[in-house]
Amino acid sequence: MEAHYTDWLHLILRWAHFITGAAWIGTSFYFNWLNHSMRQPLDRIEGVSGQLFSIHGGKFYEVRAYTGAPKVLPSTLHWFKWEAYFTWLTGFSLLCVVYYLNPDYYLISKNSADLSHMQAILLSLGSLAGAWLCYDYLCRALSKSPVLLASIGFVAITLAAYGLCQVFSSRAAYIHIGAMTGTIMAANVFFVIIPGQRAMVDAMLAGEPPDISKGKQGALRSLHNNYLTLPVLFIMISNHFPMTYGHRANWAILAAISVLGALTRHYFNLKHQGRHKQWILPAAAAGMVALAFVTKPAPADGPQSDQQVSYSEMHAVLALRCIPCHTSKPTFPGVHVPPKGIVYDSPQTIKAMADKIAQVAVHSKTMPLANATNMTEEEREILRRWIEQGAALQ
């Protein structure tokens, strides 16, 4: 496929993923708020366990929650499933287009595991399937021990993050943890929530009482999905923040941010129930501030030379390792436009981008992406010295 059409396919898939993901997360937030906000009904209505009044857009709304199901099904019953399905399908399509079609550039890290294209792709697919199978087994085995389930799940996903950071590029490892989590969430809808709801509806259509336990299982998985949304949202934007995925403890930083995201979600879930734990949000904010200090770039390892670096010496490194992508007409295979529109076609542009070069090529070492052009530590040291010596154009 021509580069122009590949870029448009990427854009369309990413846009569709964003739209469907926003719709899915919106319904997740709303229905968890709805469940937690139900109060005792004002009037005694058979089968109704909760009632909620709300106002929006100039209209008043009344919502009733049934213990099981109404005696008669309404003619129109709204289902919420396609948002989840299309979010996963577009996300998996993006994984194929971005990572599977360009494994050397985006997926495989040349600084860690020596994987073939097929090995890397099979490992990626296996991580998605394995995440769901392990989670589903734990849910069924530990459904009555939610704290133990959450603890084991957190340890498992942290170990997965550590392992993937050793074999994939750091950006790809983060994205795969997000894909694994997203797969768990979508599979919850496909294999548990919707089948449970379908069984209840089918029983009512057959004139039989619905099995309420199936609805409870779906509600539990829906709650799990609710807590996973903020960690997944962070992973979706993490590519813009190399100080996280590019840090030497990237797996631990991902684990910490995921906990802080789930903790933030927990605050709002409690608040909707009328339980105000005011310490949670300040604690989460303090955790993010602490991470800012933890991720501060560390001094370069080993002795550092103060030998003056000329512009021409520095530019020779850029020309070999960076400019093949970051130029108006990229020459690196598979790169058709300069990433993020950054070009190093003039000395003035390079000087203006000196701080950014230091961040991604010297401190976090996330560029070149997956070290596709094999930048050495000695070359990174040349860039560091040139920048710290004032980025002179001589």
Side-chain angles (χ1 to χ4, degrees):
M1 186 181 295
E2 293 183 12
H4 173 75
Y5 298 111
T6 301
D7 293 337
W8 271 101
L9 175 61
H10 186 179
L11 172 60
I12 292 169
L13 287 173
R14 190 170 294 278
W15 185 228
H17 186 56
F18 179 84
I19 292 171
T20 54
W24 184 16
I25 290 171
T27 57
S28 172
F29 281 8
Y30 174 72
F31 278 104
N32 274 274
W33 171 83
L34 199 62
N35 289 336
H36 293 147
S37 300
M38 285 290 171
R39 300 297 183 262
Q40 287 293 328
L42 298 177
D43 302 316
R44 186 181 297 276
I45 304 174
E46 184 179 357
V48 174
S49 60
Q51 188 177 43
L52 172 73
F53 290 93
S54 59
I55 182 171
H56 180 75
K59 295 182 179 180
F60 290 90
Y61 296 85
E62 178 188 358
V63 180
R64 296 174 181 174
Y66 288 82
T67 303
K71 288 187 176 181
V72 180
L73 280 176
S75 58
T76 301
L77 184 63
H78 295 283
W79 296 72
F80 294 85
K81 56 183 178 178
W82 295 111
E83 302 93 335
Y85 298 162
F86 279 108
T87 298
W88 189 88
L89 288 171
T90 53
F92 182 73
S93 298
L94 274 173
L95 201 66
C96 294
V97 170
V98 176
Y99 291 93
Y100 296 172
L101 295 183
N102 299 284
D104 281 331
Y105 190 61
Y106 288 106
L107 183 58
I108 303 172
S109 173
K110 294 187 178 181
N111 293 336
S112 51
D114 184 18
L115 297 176
S116 68
H117 292 179
M118 186 54 64
Q119 287 173 332
I121 292 172
L122 289 176
L123 177 59
S124 170
L125 294 172
S127 69
L128 304 187
W132 161 248
L133 293 174
C134 291
Y135 163 82
D136 187 56
Y137 172 79
L138 288 173
C139 273
R140 297 178 188 280
L142 302 174
S143 60
K144 297 182 180 180
S145 305
V147 175
L148 180 59
L149 172 62
S151 300
I152 294 176
F154 171 71
V155 171
I157 202 71
T158 300
L159 290 175
Y162 175 80
L164 290 176
C165 283
Q166 311 311 308
V167 295
F168 288 159
S169 71
S170 53
R171 282 177 49 163
Y174 266 43
I175 289 297
H176 273 76
I177 294 299
M180 290 164 62
T181 308
T183 297
I184 289 172
M185 295 170 66
N188 271 340
V189 177
F190 187 80
F191 290 112
V192 180
I193 297 173
I194 294 301
Q197 293 175 175
R198 174 57 66 187
M200 294 176 67
V201 170
D202 289 344
M204 293 191 65
L205 292 175
E208 302 172 356
D211 184 354
I212 299 176
S213 65
K214 295 184 180 298
K216 290 182 178 180
Q217 292 173 17
L220 177 63
R221 299 297 181 101
S222 179
L223 183 62
H224 290 177
N225 283 1
N226 182 257
Y227 277 101
L228 294 173
T229 49
L230 294 186
V232 170
L233 281 176
F234 161 72
I235 292 173
M236 288 176 66
I237 65 171
S238 64
N239 281 357
H240 299 287
F241 302 96
M243 72 276 195
T244 58
Y245 66 82
H247 196 273
R248 64 184 65 187
N250 43 21
W251 60 274
I253 292 170
L254 178 58
I257 292 180
S258 297
V259 168
L260 295 175
L263 189 63
T264 301
R265 191 64 238 160
H266 186 56
Y267 167 80
F268 287 102
N269 286 340
L270 292 178
K271 180 175 181 291
H272 300 330
Q273 297 174 29
R275 301 161 60 190
H276 298 278
K277 302 294 183 181
Q278 305 293 356
W279 62 270
I280 295 180
L281 284 186
M288 292 299 292
V289 172
L291 282 176
F293 286 96
V294 170
T295 57
K296 180 181 179 181
D301 297 330
Q304 300 179 25
S305 171
D306 293 328
Q307 181 180 353
Q308 196 72 20
V309 174
S310 66
Y311 174 81
S312 60
E313 186 178 1
M314 179 280 306
H315 190 270
V317 175
L318 285 187
L320 185 62
R321 309 303 185 191
C322 306
I323 292 179
C325 295
H326 290 286
T327 183
S328 55
K329 295 182 179 180
T331 58
F332 191 87
V335 179
H336 313 294
V337 294
K340 296 186 177 180
I342 297 173
V343 297
Y344 298 141
D345 289 346
S346 71
Q348 291 73 23
T349 301
I350 295 173
K351 181 177 177 65
M353 294 296 296
D355 288 341
K356 187 67 175 179
I357 294 171
Q359 181 184 23
V360 300
V362 177
H363 300 308
S364 68
K365 300 180 182 179
T366 54
M367 287 291 161
L369 192 59
N371 202 21
T373 56
N374 297 308
M375 182 181 286
T376 66
E377 291 301 317
E378 291 75 14
E379 290 168 334
R380 296 184 193 276
E381 174 65 10
I382 289 173
L383 296 180
R384 182 196 68 79
R385 297 207 317 261
W386 178 75
I387 294 168
E388 292 184 359
Q389 289 167 4
L393 300 181
Q394 297 178 356

